[in-house]
Structure formats: C-alpha cells, structure tokens
C-alpha cells in the first residue's frame, strides 16, 4: 500500500475555480493562493446569507488508540461518497497544527484514498492563518509587557498576568520561562509561559466569530491580567484590538481546497480540542450549510471531548442544529479499550472486543442524550475479521442506532457508499430534536458536575483549593453563566489516561478554572493536560525531507 503522501502527490487536482463552481462560487469571489487553494471572499459570504441551510452531519469517535481512529478520513470519505451518489456535499474541517505534524500524531488531511489535497500545503503553512493567530497573540503579549514597562497606568499586577505567548510547535522548554532578564530597559523580570498556537484564545475567538465586528468584540473582552485590586484587564484596555484585527483580517476568511475526488473542502481554524472547543470555524460551517445540501464536519478527539463541546459550545453559540451524528469506531480501538497492547491489536480477540465495547456503548448513550440520530461506522482495517465486524454491528443495532461499515481509507468514496446511503436513510426517517446538555444559567460547579457525571460517568468532582477560589471569583466577576470547556485527556472517559473501557464512579479532580471571556466559555483543567505539548523520543520530524523539490516522509 502506498503512503498517504505518495497517494496525495500522485493525485490529479482540479483548478480551485472548478471545485468552487460545485458550490456555485464564482472565480471572482475567490482570493487565490496558487492553483489549488483559495479563500472565499466576504462578498460571497454576504451574498449567500439568505440561502436555505443544508443538512449538518457531525463525525466524532470513541476514545482512541494513540494513532487516532480516522475521524477525518471518515469525514472526507463520506463527502466523496456523497459526490459519487450525485449529492451536493461539502466537508468542513479544522486546519492542522505543525506541532503534531512534526511530533507523533500526524496531520489532519485524512488518509489513504480519503484525503484533502494539496496535503503538504494543508499540513504545513497552508494560507498563513496560524501565523496570523500567532502574531496577533504575541502582539498582545508585547503590548502588555510594554504597558508595564512604560509606567503601568492600569496598575497591572505582574504576578497576575494570565496571557501567554504562543508558537505553533511542540516545545516543552517554553512551558515555564523567565522574561525581562538583562538591564532595566529590557523589561520587568517575571515568570512567563508559552502555549501551542492552537491553545491560544485568539484561535478560539477566530473560530467562534461571525464576522469582523464580532471578532473585534470578542478580542476586546479577552482577559490578559488583573490589577493589584483584582480587577480584570482586557485587550480593549490595552488598546490592542484594532491592530490584532488587522493581523487577522485575511485569516477570518474560510479556505477552500478539495478531496482526492474533487469534493469541496472548507478548512478553517484549529482550536485545541482540550483547552478550547476543538471545532472548525463557525463562519466555515455556516457558509457550507448555505452552499451545500449535505455538510460533513468533525470535532476533535473522542465524543466525550469533541462532540460535547461541538454541541454545548459551538452549536449553542452559533444557533446550529445538527441533523445526525456519526460515531467512528475501530475494532483496534475497541480491543485497546479491552486491555490489548497496541502491538497485538491485529490478532482476532473477541473476548477483548467484548470487554472494550463498553466504551462504544457509553459514547452511544452520551450522544443519544442530545436527541440527535446516531449512526455508528466501523472504520475498517485489513486485520479485522468477519466475526469481529458482525459482533460490533449486532451490538450497535441492539442499542437503537444505525450502523455502516466504512472502507474509505482503502477504496475512497466507493468505500463510503454504504455509510453515505445509511446516512441518507437516517436523515430521511429520523428527526433531530437537538438540545444542549445543560442550561447556561446553572452555577459553574453544577455545569462541571453535570458534564462529569452525565458524559464521563464520574461519581463526583473534587476541586483543589485554588480552583474553588477561582470559581468564586469568576462568578463574582459576572462570568458564571458561560458554558464550560472541560480540559482532560482524550484517551479515557475519565481524567486518567490509564482508565480505559468504561470507568465508573471515579472522582474527577478539577485543578484550575479560568475564563476565556472572548471565546465565551469557562475552562476547567483536569488531570495533567498540557497546553504546550513536547516532542516524543523519535519525532516524526526525523523522517521529513525534500527531494527533487518534493516533500517526503510527511506521512
């Protein structure tokens, strides 16, 4: 089997104007980035606002193996399959971060014969959106330190600065640093921190903003520090908003590329699925709904993180109503959740499958709480046996959700026909009555505990002393009615990555709580979630090179 990058580089792409035409976008309404990439103009986005909405289909997954279970591959393959059935479809995805590309997880362009192309461009610099976010984030950091250096008119307490610098790379030594060393002219000596760009609140703001006016309002509300009296200091008070918006002007426009089978793909934004809400931009999703009859999107990590945040944060804020949700599983991940070591997942093991399928069961139950029709798809691997596949199919059908096998990695859109046809049947026969899990007006603790109990299966929640104080302060400051963005491991339903399957009755520990006021949610940190990942012992960067003007080894 060829590698992903070999398949992508052998693809014959259509000019982006031809791809845009499938969504009734004129070439004059594109801002071109070469032959195969473009941004969709603001003029076109305004023009289509009155169009009726298509059907919104969310792709999510069970708790994965370290390699992931193919949400993006499934999303792209489903979009290709819709195209083969003559349906007007679009796929809407997040942009990849450079950190995972050079680290361990890889990019976010799909895989096999279900990929978005040009794959190398998408996984590397693309159209510069992440660089714009990084620059805007760090401009605000520079203005903050400069304000303190130039007299500190606002009375900012240097010990209570919460804004962090960012870089789009896994670089653990930047997690905790000291800045301002040197002479007095070099600034105040203080502790500082870096996060990866996808964890910046600017990224979350970009992805939730409806337009430039909304973007600037959200930027203005971001809390960067507190005064000696404990009052929040915002980006607006530092007079940073206009310049930040200027850096983000082009990044606010959705990007358009294509799949290997020329299905249109809108790729825009990439908030971290732990620290932020893990979904592509509201602008891209809403634009796709106005241009296509079927819109396939995804949310980061497993359904306990990505789908919950898609429903309770993105859909709530943007007024979106999903029509169906596809829950991606693999036999490998189910056996992994049943206790099988990663190196042994290729062997048939029905006993382990039975132990691990409780993870799938919990995710089905969770998604059904949102009253959206659920389809389980099994992302097929060559090592899967008929007995294993039949076991999963029977399990799903007995729990009231539809099922389809997906073979898109190996066969592209043709391998997704069964899933596409099942999705169409589900959309025709089952109605979505979507509603969020909790009311925003509930106190912060009650919202956290609702998510922990209902979605994770926790028996209770424990708060550190500092987390308790932070919650009390946030409610006093008027932030208590914001939705909750839980930050926890993606490998387990719990806050402990070692607890696989379906852990129950555990106590989840919340160690820190803070507000992302611009994004419009409260972040609750659990476990040992890192906002700046590190590289593994053998990072993927070791295998990447350029030969004969072509990138090699990316995947």
């Amino acid at each position: 089997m060829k590698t992903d990058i070999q398949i992508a580089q052998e693809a014959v792409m259509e000019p982006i104007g031809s791809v845009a035409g499938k969504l009734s976008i004129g070439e004059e309404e594109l801002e071109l980035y070469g032959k195969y990439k473009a941004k969709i103009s603001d003029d076109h986005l305004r023009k289509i606002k009155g169009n009726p909405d298509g059907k919104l289909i969310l792709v999510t997954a069970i708790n994965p193996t370290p390699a992931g279970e193919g949400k993006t591959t499934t999303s792209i393959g489903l979009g290709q399959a819709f195209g083969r059935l003559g349906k007007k479809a679009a796929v809407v995805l997040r942009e990849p971060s450079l950190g995972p590309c050079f680290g361990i997880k890889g990019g976010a362009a799909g895989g096999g014969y279900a990929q978005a192309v040009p794959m190398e461009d998408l996984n590397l610099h693309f159209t510069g959106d992440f660089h714009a976010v990084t620059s805007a984030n760090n401009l605000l950091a520079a203005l903050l330190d400069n304000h303190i250096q130039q007299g500190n008119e606002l009375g900012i307490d240097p010990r209570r600065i919460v804004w962090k610098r960012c870089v789009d790379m896994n670089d653990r030594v930047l997690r905790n640093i000291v800045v301002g060393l040197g002479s007095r002219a070099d600034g105040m000596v203080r502790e500082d921190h870096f996060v990866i760009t996808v964890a910046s609140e600017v990224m979350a703001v970009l992805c939730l903003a409806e337009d430039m006016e909304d973007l600037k309002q959200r930027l203005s509300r971001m809390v960067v520090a507190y005064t000696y009296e404990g009052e929040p200091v915002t980006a607006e008070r530092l007079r940073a908003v206009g310049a930040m918006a200027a850096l983000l002007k082009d990044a606010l426009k959705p990007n358009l590329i294509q799949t290997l089978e020329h299905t249109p793909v809108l790729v825009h934004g990439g908030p971290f699925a732990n620290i932020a809400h893990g979904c592509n931009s509201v602008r891209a999703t809403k634009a796709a709904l106005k241009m296509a009859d079927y819109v396939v999107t995804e949310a980061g990590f497993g359904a306990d993180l990505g789908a919950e945040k898609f429903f309770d944060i993105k859909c709530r804020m943007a007024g979106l109503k999903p029509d169906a949700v596809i829950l991606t599983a693999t036999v490998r991940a189910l056996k992994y959740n049943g206790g099988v070591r990663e190196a042994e997942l290729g062997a048939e093991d029905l006993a382990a499958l039975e132990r691990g399928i409780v993870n799938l069961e919990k995710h089905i139950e969770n998604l059904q709480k949102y009253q959206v029709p659920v389809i389980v798809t099994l992302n097929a691997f060559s090592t899967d046996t008929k007995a294993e596949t039949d076991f999963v199919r029977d399990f799903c059908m007995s729990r009231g959700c539809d099922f389809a096998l997906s073979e898109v990695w190996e066969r592209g859109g043709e391998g997704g026909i069964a899933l596409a046809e099942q999705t169409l049947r589900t959309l025709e026969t089952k109605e979505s009555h979507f509603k969020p899990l909790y009311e925003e007006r509930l106190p912060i603790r009650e919202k956290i505990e609702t998510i922990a109990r209902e979605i994770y299966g926790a028996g209770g929640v424990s708060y550190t002393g500092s987390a308790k104080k932070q919650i009390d302060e946030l409610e006093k400051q008027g932030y208590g009615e914001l939705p909750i963005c839980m930050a926890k491991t993606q490998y387990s339903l719990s806050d402990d990555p070692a607890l696989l399957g379906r852990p129950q009755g555990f106590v989840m520990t919340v160690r820190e709580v803070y507000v992302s006021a611009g994004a419009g949610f409260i972040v609750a940190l659990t476990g040992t979630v890192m906002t700046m990942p590190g590289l593994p012992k053998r990072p993927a960067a070791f295998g990447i090179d350029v030969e004969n003007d072509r990138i090699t080894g990316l995947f």
Side-chain angles (χ1 to χ4, degrees), residues 369-424:
K369 291 175 182 178
Y370 292 95
Q371 299 183 31
V372 179
V374 180
I375 305 157
V376 173
T377 187
L378 198 60
N379 186 19
F381 280 69
S382 59
T383 54
D384 299 347
T385 68
K386 184 177 184 300
E388 291 173 327
T389 300
D390 288 347
F391 180 85
V392 177
R393 177 187 287 107
D394 293 345
F395 183 91
C396 295
M397 301 296 284
S398 70
R399 278 151 182 82
C401 58
D402 298 324
F403 177 88
L405 189 65
S406 172
E407 299 174 294
V408 298
W409 183 85
E410 183 179 4
R411 299 168 57 210
E414 182 185 356
I417 295 293
L419 175 58
E421 290 178 337
Q422 179 58 65
T423 302
L424 292 172

Short mmCIF file of all heavy atoms in Angstrom, two decimals, residues 369-424:
data_model
loop_
_atom_site.label_atom_id
_atom_site.label_comp_id
_atom_site.label_asym_id
_atom_site.label_seq_id
_atom_site.Cartn_x
_atom_site.Cartn_y
_atom_site.Cartn_z
N LYS A 369 -28.28 11.43 24.42
CA LYS A 369 -28.79 12.44 25.35
C LYS A 369 -29.05 13.78 24.68
O LYS A 369 -29.84 14.59 25.17
CB LYS A 369 -27.80 12.63 26.51
CG LYS A 369 -27.71 11.43 27.43
CD LYS A 369 -26.64 11.60 28.50
CE LYS A 369 -26.56 10.34 29.36
NZ LYS A 369 -25.51 10.40 30.39
N TYR A 370 -28.36 14.02 23.55
CA TYR A 370 -28.56 15.27 22.83
C TYR A 370 -29.72 15.18 21.83
O TYR A 370 -30.01 16.15 21.13
CB TYR A 370 -27.28 15.66 22.10
CG TYR A 370 -26.17 16.06 23.04
CD1 TYR A 370 -25.21 15.13 23.45
CD2 TYR A 370 -26.06 17.35 23.53
CE1 TYR A 370 -24.20 15.47 24.32
CE2 TYR A 370 -25.05 17.71 24.41
CZ TYR A 370 -24.12 16.76 24.80
OH TYR A 370 -23.11 17.13 25.66
N GLN A 371 -30.36 14.02 21.75
CA GLN A 371 -31.54 13.79 20.92
C GLN A 371 -31.26 14.03 19.43
O GLN A 371 -32.07 14.61 18.71
CB GLN A 371 -32.72 14.64 21.40
CG GLN A 371 -33.12 14.30 22.83
CD GLN A 371 -34.33 15.07 23.32
OE1 GLN A 371 -35.21 15.41 22.53
NE2 GLN A 371 -34.39 15.35 24.61
N VAL A 372 -30.07 13.59 19.00
CA VAL A 372 -29.69 13.64 17.60
C VAL A 372 -29.52 12.19 17.12
O VAL A 372 -28.90 11.39 17.81
CB VAL A 372 -28.36 14.42 17.42
CG1 VAL A 372 -27.95 14.44 15.94
CG2 VAL A 372 -28.50 15.84 17.94
N PRO A 373 -30.06 11.83 15.95
CA PRO A 373 -29.90 10.45 15.45
C PRO A 373 -28.43 10.04 15.36
O PRO A 373 -27.59 10.82 14.90
CB PRO A 373 -30.55 10.50 14.07
CG PRO A 373 -31.53 11.63 14.14
CD PRO A 373 -30.90 12.65 15.05
N VAL A 374 -28.12 8.82 15.78
CA VAL A 374 -26.75 8.32 15.86
C VAL A 374 -26.54 7.19 14.85
O VAL A 374 -27.34 6.26 14.77
CB VAL A 374 -26.40 7.82 17.27
CG1 VAL A 374 -24.96 7.31 17.32
CG2 VAL A 374 -26.61 8.92 18.30
N ILE A 375 -25.44 7.29 14.10
CA ILE A 375 -25.01 6.23 13.20
C ILE A 375 -23.60 5.82 13.64
O ILE A 375 -22.71 6.67 13.74
CB ILE A 375 -24.95 6.71 11.74
CG1 ILE A 375 -26.29 7.29 11.30
CG2 ILE A 375 -24.51 5.58 10.82
CD1 ILE A 375 -26.19 8.25 10.14
N VAL A 376 -23.38 4.55 13.91
CA VAL A 376 -22.04 4.06 14.21
C VAL A 376 -21.41 3.57 12.92
O VAL A 376 -22.03 2.81 12.16
CB VAL A 376 -22.06 2.93 15.25
CG1 VAL A 376 -20.66 2.33 15.43
CG2 VAL A 376 -22.58 3.44 16.59
N THR A 377 -20.19 4.00 12.64
CA THR A 377 -19.46 3.46 11.50
C THR A 377 -18.19 2.81 11.99
O THR A 377 -17.49 3.36 12.86
CB THR A 377 -19.15 4.54 10.45
OG1 THR A 377 -18.57 3.92 9.30
CG2 THR A 377 -18.18 5.59 10.96
N LEU A 378 -17.90 1.65 11.46
CA LEU A 378 -16.69 0.93 11.81
C LEU A 378 -15.66 1.19 10.72
O LEU A 378 -15.85 0.78 9.56
CB LEU A 378 -16.99 -0.56 11.94
CG LEU A 378 -15.97 -1.42 12.70
CD1 LEU A 378 -15.80 -0.94 14.13
CD2 LEU A 378 -16.42 -2.88 12.68
N ASN A 379 -14.64 1.93 11.05
CA ASN A 379 -13.56 2.24 10.10
C ASN A 379 -12.72 0.98 9.93
O ASN A 379 -12.01 0.56 10.83
CB ASN A 379 -12.72 3.40 10.64
CG ASN A 379 -11.68 3.89 9.66
OD1 ASN A 379 -11.77 3.62 8.47
ND2 ASN A 379 -10.67 4.59 10.16
N ALA A 380 -12.82 0.36 8.76
CA ALA A 380 -12.28 -0.98 8.55
C ALA A 380 -10.76 -1.00 8.43
O ALA A 380 -10.16 -0.12 7.82
CB ALA A 380 -12.89 -1.59 7.30
N PHE A 381 -10.14 -2.01 9.05
CA PHE A 381 -8.72 -2.32 8.89
C PHE A 381 -8.61 -3.72 8.27
O PHE A 381 -9.48 -4.57 8.46
CB PHE A 381 -8.00 -2.29 10.24
CG PHE A 381 -7.64 -0.91 10.72
CD1 PHE A 381 -8.63 -0.02 11.12
CD2 PHE A 381 -6.33 -0.49 10.77
CE1 PHE A 381 -8.32 1.25 11.57
CE2 PHE A 381 -5.99 0.78 11.22
CZ PHE A 381 -6.98 1.65 11.62
N SER A 382 -7.51 -3.96 7.55
CA SER A 382 -7.34 -5.25 6.89
C SER A 382 -7.25 -6.40 7.88
O SER A 382 -7.52 -7.56 7.53
CB SER A 382 -6.08 -5.23 6.01
OG SER A 382 -4.93 -4.95 6.80
N THR A 383 -6.90 -6.11 9.13
CA THR A 383 -6.77 -7.16 10.14
C THR A 383 -8.10 -7.52 10.80
O THR A 383 -8.17 -8.49 11.56
CB THR A 383 -5.77 -6.74 11.24
OG1 THR A 383 -6.17 -5.46 11.76
CG2 THR A 383 -4.36 -6.63 10.67
N ASP A 384 -9.17 -6.74 10.54
CA ASP A 384 -10.47 -7.04 11.14
C ASP A 384 -11.00 -8.36 10.57
O ASP A 384 -10.85 -8.65 9.38
CB ASP A 384 -11.49 -5.94 10.82
CG ASP A 384 -11.08 -4.58 11.36
OD1 ASP A 384 -10.14 -4.53 12.18
OD2 ASP A 384 -11.70 -3.57 10.95
N THR A 385 -11.64 -9.15 11.41
CA THR A 385 -12.27 -10.39 10.94
C THR A 385 -13.78 -10.21 10.86
O THR A 385 -14.35 -9.31 11.46
CB THR A 385 -11.95 -11.56 11.88
OG1 THR A 385 -12.61 -11.33 13.14
CG2 THR A 385 -10.44 -11.69 12.10
N LYS A 386 -14.43 -11.08 10.11
CA LYS A 386 -15.89 -11.01 9.96
C LYS A 386 -16.58 -11.18 11.30
O LYS A 386 -17.58 -10.50 11.60
CB LYS A 386 -16.38 -12.08 8.99
CG LYS A 386 -17.88 -12.00 8.69
CD LYS A 386 -18.30 -13.05 7.67
CE LYS A 386 -19.78 -12.88 7.31
NZ LYS A 386 -20.66 -13.02 8.49
N ALA A 387 -16.05 -12.05 12.13
CA ALA A 387 -16.66 -12.27 13.44
C ALA A 387 -16.62 -10.99 14.28
O ALA A 387 -17.59 -10.67 14.99
CB ALA A 387 -15.94 -13.41 14.17
N GLU A 388 -15.50 -10.28 14.21
CA GLU A 388 -15.38 -9.03 14.97
C GLU A 388 -16.33 -7.97 14.44
O GLU A 388 -17.01 -7.27 15.20
CB GLU A 388 -13.93 -8.53 14.91
CG GLU A 388 -12.95 -9.40 15.70
CD GLU A 388 -11.50 -9.00 15.51
OE1 GLU A 388 -11.15 -8.54 14.39
OE2 GLU A 388 -10.71 -9.14 16.47
N THR A 389 -16.39 -7.83 13.11
CA THR A 389 -17.27 -6.84 12.50
C THR A 389 -18.74 -7.14 12.80
O THR A 389 -19.52 -6.25 13.16
CB THR A 389 -17.05 -6.81 10.97
OG1 THR A 389 -15.70 -6.45 10.71
CG2 THR A 389 -17.96 -5.77 10.32
N ASP A 390 -19.12 -8.39 12.70
CA ASP A 390 -20.50 -8.79 12.99
C ASP A 390 -20.85 -8.51 14.45
O ASP A 390 -21.98 -8.09 14.76
CB ASP A 390 -20.71 -10.28 12.68
CG ASP A 390 -20.72 -10.57 11.18
OD1 ASP A 390 -20.81 -9.61 10.39
OD2 ASP A 390 -20.60 -11.76 10.82
N PHE A 391 -19.91 -8.75 15.34
CA PHE A 391 -20.15 -8.51 16.77
C PHE A 391 -20.48 -7.05 17.01
O PHE A 391 -21.42 -6.71 17.74
CB PHE A 391 -18.93 -8.94 17.59
CG PHE A 391 -19.09 -8.73 19.06
CD1 PHE A 391 -19.72 -9.69 19.85
CD2 PHE A 391 -18.63 -7.58 19.67
CE1 PHE A 391 -19.88 -9.50 21.22
CE2 PHE A 391 -18.77 -7.37 21.04
CZ PHE A 391 -19.40 -8.33 21.81
N VAL A 392 -19.69 -6.16 16.40
CA VAL A 392 -19.91 -4.72 16.60
C VAL A 392 -21.23 -4.29 15.98
O VAL A 392 -22.00 -3.52 16.58
CB VAL A 392 -18.74 -3.91 16.00
CG1 VAL A 392 -19.00 -2.41 16.14
CG2 VAL A 392 -17.42 -4.27 16.68
N ARG A 393 -21.53 -4.78 14.77
CA ARG A 393 -22.79 -4.42 14.11
C ARG A 393 -23.99 -4.83 14.97
O ARG A 393 -24.91 -4.03 15.20
CB ARG A 393 -22.88 -5.10 12.74
CG ARG A 393 -24.21 -4.81 12.03
CD ARG A 393 -24.39 -5.61 10.75
NE ARG A 393 -23.52 -5.11 9.68
CZ ARG A 393 -22.44 -5.72 9.24
NH1 ARG A 393 -22.07 -6.90 9.80
NH2 ARG A 393 -21.71 -5.22 8.28
N ASP A 394 -23.99 -6.05 15.45
CA ASP A 394 -25.12 -6.54 16.26
C ASP A 394 -25.25 -5.73 17.55
O ASP A 394 -26.37 -5.43 17.99
CB ASP A 394 -24.93 -8.02 16.59
CG ASP A 394 -25.02 -8.90 15.35
OD1 ASP A 394 -25.49 -8.42 14.30
OD2 ASP A 394 -24.56 -10.07 15.42
N PHE A 395 -24.12 -5.37 18.13
CA PHE A 395 -24.13 -4.59 19.37
C PHE A 395 -24.79 -3.23 19.13
O PHE A 395 -25.63 -2.80 19.93
CB PHE A 395 -22.69 -4.39 19.86
CG PHE A 395 -22.58 -3.66 21.16
CD1 PHE A 395 -22.56 -4.35 22.36
CD2 PHE A 395 -22.48 -2.27 21.20
CE1 PHE A 395 -22.45 -3.67 23.57
CE2 PHE A 395 -22.36 -1.59 22.39
CZ PHE A 395 -22.35 -2.29 23.58
N CYS A 396 -24.44 -2.57 18.05
CA CYS A 396 -24.98 -1.24 17.75
C CYS A 396 -26.47 -1.30 17.46
O CYS A 396 -27.26 -0.49 17.96
CB CYS A 396 -24.25 -0.62 16.57
SG CYS A 396 -22.51 -0.30 16.88
N MET A 397 -26.87 -2.26 16.63
CA MET A 397 -28.28 -2.36 16.26
C MET A 397 -29.16 -2.64 17.48
O MET A 397 -30.29 -2.16 17.57
CB MET A 397 -28.47 -3.47 15.22
CG MET A 397 -27.67 -3.26 13.93
SD MET A 397 -28.16 -1.79 13.00
CE MET A 397 -29.69 -2.36 12.27
N SER A 398 -28.62 -3.38 18.43
CA SER A 398 -29.39 -3.70 19.63
C SER A 398 -29.56 -2.50 20.55
O SER A 398 -30.38 -2.55 21.47
CB SER A 398 -28.72 -4.85 20.40
OG SER A 398 -27.50 -4.40 21.00
N ARG A 399 -28.82 -1.46 20.30
CA ARG A 399 -28.89 -0.26 21.13
C ARG A 399 -29.54 0.92 20.40
O ARG A 399 -29.36 2.07 20.77
CB ARG A 399 -27.50 0.10 21.65
CG ARG A 399 -27.16 -0.74 22.88
CD ARG A 399 -25.69 -0.99 23.05
NE ARG A 399 -25.48 -1.85 24.22
CZ ARG A 399 -25.61 -3.18 24.21
NH1 ARG A 399 -25.94 -3.81 23.09
NH2 ARG A 399 -25.42 -3.89 25.31
N GLY A 400 -30.25 0.61 19.36
CA GLY A 400 -31.09 1.62 18.72
C GLY A 400 -30.39 2.61 17.84
O GLY A 400 -30.94 3.68 17.56
N CYS A 401 -29.17 2.30 17.40
CA CYS A 401 -28.51 3.22 16.47
C CYS A 401 -28.17 2.49 15.18
O CYS A 401 -27.95 1.27 15.17
CB CYS A 401 -27.27 3.86 17.10
SG CYS A 401 -26.03 2.73 17.66
N ASP A 402 -28.15 3.25 14.11
CA ASP A 402 -27.86 2.67 12.80
C ASP A 402 -26.37 2.34 12.69
O ASP A 402 -25.54 2.84 13.46
CB ASP A 402 -28.29 3.64 11.71
CG ASP A 402 -29.79 3.90 11.74
OD1 ASP A 402 -30.54 2.95 12.04
OD2 ASP A 402 -30.20 5.04 11.48
N PHE A 403 -26.03 1.50 11.69
CA PHE A 403 -24.65 1.03 11.56
C PHE A 403 -24.28 0.94 10.08
O PHE A 403 -25.10 0.59 9.23
CB PHE A 403 -24.49 -0.35 12.20
CG PHE A 403 -23.12 -0.94 12.05
CD1 PHE A 403 -22.13 -0.67 12.97
CD2 PHE A 403 -22.81 -1.75 10.95
CE1 PHE A 403 -20.85 -1.20 12.82
CE2 PHE A 403 -21.54 -2.29 10.80
CZ PHE A 403 -20.55 -2.01 11.74
N ALA A 404 -23.02 1.24 9.78
CA ALA A 404 -22.50 1.04 8.43
C ALA A 404 -20.99 0.83 8.51
O ALA A 404 -20.30 1.48 9.31
CB ALA A 404 -22.82 2.23 7.53
N LEU A 405 -20.49 -0.05 7.67
CA LEU A 405 -19.04 -0.28 7.57
C LEU A 405 -18.44 0.78 6.65
O LEU A 405 -19.02 1.13 5.62
CB LEU A 405 -18.77 -1.66 7.02
CG LEU A 405 -17.32 -2.17 7.05
CD1 LEU A 405 -16.84 -2.34 8.48
CD2 LEU A 405 -17.21 -3.49 6.28
N SER A 406 -17.28 1.30 7.01
CA SER A 406 -16.59 2.29 6.18
C SER A 406 -15.25 1.72 5.72
O SER A 406 -14.45 1.26 6.52
CB SER A 406 -16.35 3.58 6.97
OG SER A 406 -15.52 4.47 6.25
N GLU A 407 -15.03 1.77 4.41
CA GLU A 407 -13.77 1.29 3.83
C GLU A 407 -13.13 2.40 2.99
O GLU A 407 -12.53 2.14 1.95
CB GLU A 407 -14.03 0.05 2.97
CG GLU A 407 -14.61 -1.11 3.75
CD GLU A 407 -14.98 -2.28 2.86
OE1 GLU A 407 -15.91 -2.13 2.05
OE2 GLU A 407 -14.33 -3.34 2.98
N VAL A 408 -13.27 3.63 3.45
CA VAL A 408 -12.84 4.78 2.64
C VAL A 408 -11.32 4.91 2.58
O VAL A 408 -10.78 5.44 1.60
CB VAL A 408 -13.46 6.10 3.17
CG1 VAL A 408 -14.98 6.03 3.06
CG2 VAL A 408 -13.05 6.38 4.62
N TRP A 409 -10.61 4.45 3.59
CA TRP A 409 -9.14 4.56 3.57
C TRP A 409 -8.60 3.77 2.38
O TRP A 409 -7.71 4.24 1.67
CB TRP A 409 -8.57 4.03 4.88
CG TRP A 409 -7.08 4.16 4.98
CD1 TRP A 409 -6.37 5.25 5.39
CD2 TRP A 409 -6.11 3.16 4.63
NE1 TRP A 409 -5.02 5.00 5.33
CE2 TRP A 409 -4.83 3.73 4.87
CE3 TRP A 409 -6.19 1.85 4.16
CZ2 TRP A 409 -3.65 3.01 4.65
CZ3 TRP A 409 -5.03 1.15 3.93
CH2 TRP A 409 -3.77 1.73 4.19
N GLU A 410 -9.14 2.59 2.15
CA GLU A 410 -8.64 1.73 1.08
C GLU A 410 -9.29 2.01 -0.27
O GLU A 410 -8.64 1.91 -1.32
CB GLU A 410 -8.89 0.26 1.46
CG GLU A 410 -8.34 -0.74 0.46
CD GLU A 410 -8.58 -2.18 0.88
OE1 GLU A 410 -9.25 -2.40 1.91
OE2 GLU A 410 -8.11 -3.09 0.17
N ARG A 411 -10.57 2.42 -0.27
CA ARG A 411 -11.31 2.49 -1.52
C ARG A 411 -11.89 3.88 -1.82
O ARG A 411 -12.62 4.04 -2.79
CB ARG A 411 -12.44 1.46 -1.48
CG ARG A 411 -11.95 0.02 -1.34
CD ARG A 411 -13.09 -0.93 -1.02
NE ARG A 411 -14.14 -0.85 -2.03
CZ ARG A 411 -15.42 -1.08 -1.77
NH1 ARG A 411 -15.80 -1.40 -0.55
NH2 ARG A 411 -16.32 -0.99 -2.73
N GLY A 412 -11.57 4.88 -1.00
CA GLY A 412 -12.05 6.22 -1.27
C GLY A 412 -13.56 6.32 -1.18
O GLY A 412 -14.21 5.64 -0.37
N GLY A 413 -14.16 7.17 -2.05
CA GLY A 413 -15.59 7.38 -1.99
C GLY A 413 -16.40 6.12 -2.20
O GLY A 413 -17.46 5.92 -1.58
N GLU A 414 -15.91 5.20 -3.04
CA GLU A 414 -16.61 3.94 -3.27
C GLU A 414 -16.76 3.15 -1.97
O GLU A 414 -17.78 2.52 -1.72
CB GLU A 414 -15.85 3.10 -4.30
CG GLU A 414 -16.53 1.78 -4.64
CD GLU A 414 -15.71 0.92 -5.58
OE1 GLU A 414 -14.64 1.38 -6.04
OE2 GLU A 414 -16.14 -0.21 -5.87
N GLY A 415 -15.71 3.22 -1.12
CA GLY A 415 -15.75 2.51 0.15
C GLY A 415 -16.63 3.19 1.19
O GLY A 415 -16.82 2.64 2.28
N GLY A 416 -17.16 4.37 0.86
CA GLY A 416 -18.05 5.07 1.78
C GLY A 416 -19.50 5.07 1.34
O GLY A 416 -20.35 5.69 2.00
N ILE A 417 -19.81 4.37 0.24
CA ILE A 417 -21.18 4.36 -0.27
C ILE A 417 -22.16 3.81 0.77
O ILE A 417 -23.25 4.37 0.98
CB ILE A 417 -21.28 3.54 -1.58
CG1 ILE A 417 -20.48 4.22 -2.70
CG2 ILE A 417 -22.73 3.36 -1.99
CD1 ILE A 417 -21.02 5.53 -3.15
N ALA A 418 -21.80 2.71 1.43
CA ALA A 418 -22.70 2.12 2.43
C ALA A 418 -22.99 3.12 3.55
O ALA A 418 -24.13 3.25 4.01
CB ALA A 418 -22.09 0.84 2.99
N LEU A 419 -21.94 3.84 3.99
CA LEU A 419 -22.13 4.84 5.05
C LEU A 419 -22.97 6.00 4.55
O LEU A 419 -23.86 6.49 5.26
CB LEU A 419 -20.77 5.33 5.54
CG LEU A 419 -20.80 6.47 6.58
CD1 LEU A 419 -21.59 6.05 7.82
CD2 LEU A 419 -19.38 6.87 6.96
N ALA A 420 -22.73 6.46 3.32
CA ALA A 420 -23.50 7.58 2.77
C ALA A 420 -24.97 7.20 2.62
O ALA A 420 -25.87 7.98 2.96
CB ALA A 420 -22.92 8.01 1.43
N GLU A 421 -25.22 6.00 2.11
CA GLU A 421 -26.62 5.56 1.94
C GLU A 421 -27.32 5.41 3.28
O GLU A 421 -28.50 5.77 3.42
CB GLU A 421 -26.65 4.26 1.15
CG GLU A 421 -26.26 4.43 -0.31
CD GLU A 421 -26.25 3.14 -1.10
OE1 GLU A 421 -26.11 2.06 -0.47
OE2 GLU A 421 -26.36 3.20 -2.34
N GLN A 422 -26.61 4.88 4.28
CA GLN A 422 -27.21 4.76 5.60
C GLN A 422 -27.48 6.14 6.20
O GLN A 422 -28.51 6.37 6.84
CB GLN A 422 -26.31 3.96 6.53
CG GLN A 422 -26.86 3.80 7.95
CD GLN A 422 -28.22 3.14 7.95
OE1 GLN A 422 -28.38 1.99 7.59
NE2 GLN A 422 -29.26 3.89 8.37
N THR A 423 -26.55 7.08 6.00
CA THR A 423 -26.75 8.44 6.50
C THR A 423 -27.97 9.08 5.86
O THR A 423 -28.78 9.73 6.54
CB THR A 423 -25.50 9.30 6.22
OG1 THR A 423 -24.35 8.68 6.83
CG2 THR A 423 -25.66 10.71 6.77
N LEU A 424 -28.14 8.89 4.55
CA LEU A 424 -29.32 9.44 3.87
C LEU A 424 -30.60 8.82 4.41
O LEU A 424 -31.61 9.52 4.62
CB LEU A 424 -29.20 9.20 2.37
CG LEU A 424 -28.10 9.98 1.64
CD1 LEU A 424 -27.97 9.50 0.20
CD2 LEU A 424 -28.37 11.48 1.69
#
